[in-house]
Amino acid sequence: MPAQEAPVFGWELAHRGDSRRISRKWLQLAVDLVMFCVSPCTAVVVFWSADPVTAPLLVVSLAELAATAVLCVQIVLYADLKR
C-alpha cells in the first residue's frame, strides 16, 4: 500500500488553522504600519521642523505623505485579519 502523500503546498493552508493566527496577523499589521507608515511620516515632520521649508520641497514632502497614506490603506486592506 503506497504511503499517503501530503498535498502540494499544504503548509499554505495549515498555518491558517492556527489558534494564534489572528493575534499574529494583528502584530504583523502593527509592525508593517510602524515600519512603512509611521517612520516616513515622522521623517517628514522632522524635516518640516528642522529648517525653513521651501515651496518645492514642501510640495515634494506633501506628495510623499500622500503616497504613504496610499501605502497605509493598502497595507490595512491586505492584512487578511479574517479567520
Side-chain angles (χ1 to χ4, degrees):
M1 178 176 235
Q4 185 177 12
E5 292 184 26
V8 177
F9 300 117
W11 58 271
E12 290 185 357
L13 298 175
H15 76 278
R16 292 183 156 281
D18 185 10
S19 62
R20 295 181 304 215
R21 178 179 185 277
I22 298 297
S23 63
R24 278 196 330 267
K25 295 302 281 185
W26 278 103
L27 181 61
Q28 185 63 53
L29 176 60
V31 168
D32 289 345
L33 289 175
V34 167
M35 293 300 297
F36 299 111
C37 298
V38 174
S39 295
C41 291
T42 303
V44 170
V45 169
V46 168
F47 168 72
W48 286 341
S49 65
D51 286 324
V53 180
T54 62
L57 291 178
L58 177 63
V59 170
V60 170
S61 64
L62 290 173
E64 289 175 351
L65 283 181
T68 302
V70 170
L71 177 63
C72 265
V73 169
Q74 292 297 310
I75 288 172
V76 171
L77 289 177
Y78 286 95
D80 192 25
L81 298 171
K82 297 183 277 306
R83 191 119 185 105

